[in-house]
Amino acid sequence: MIEIIKQILNSDLGNAFNNAALLVFRILLAIELFRVHGMKKFRVENGQKEHVPNPLHLPEKLNGLVATFSDTVVPFFIILGLGTRLAVLPTIGVTAVGYFVVHRNDSLEVRDVPYMYTLSLSLLLALGAGTYSLDYYLLTLLNN
């Protein structure tokens, strides 16, 4: 079990510049995700909260919970680099469903946003958080 955790936490892009670039990428991506999509979850416009599409016909509360978690909590895990590979999974799910299901018949301009989020989060899934992260710190603790 410890070896699986080490593999999930392990992430080193080889040099300080690459790891710093990944840190900046993570922070900017997470801030934008929270600022644009997460903050919508707290706003009430025209007396109504944001409508979260439910194309998979999940229970409404579960659907809303996953969408809210993905846009409000996950960005903080991404910024901290804490459990990054696992943390991005629900948000990848939400954005991929947005791209492939909700917006499948929309123009490329509309489909572009969920596509770019899915692509960016998939990069974090593949690379991990890098050495400037809590994941890397926890990995060093496990190795000692």
Side-chain angles (χ1 to χ4, degrees), residues 8-30:
I8 291 170
L9 297 176
N10 186 33
S11 177
D12 184 352
L13 298 185
N15 63 51
F17 179 81
N18 290 346
N19 284 295
L22 185 59
L23 171 65
V24 171
F25 176 78
R26 277 190 2 244
I27 291 171
L28 294 177
L29 176 66

Side-chain angles (χ1 to χ4, degrees), residues 25 95 114-124:
F25 176 78
T95 59
Y115 175 78
M116 293 308 292
Y117 275 115
T118 304
L119 192 63
S120 297
L121 293 164
S122 295
L123 180 67
L124 289 179

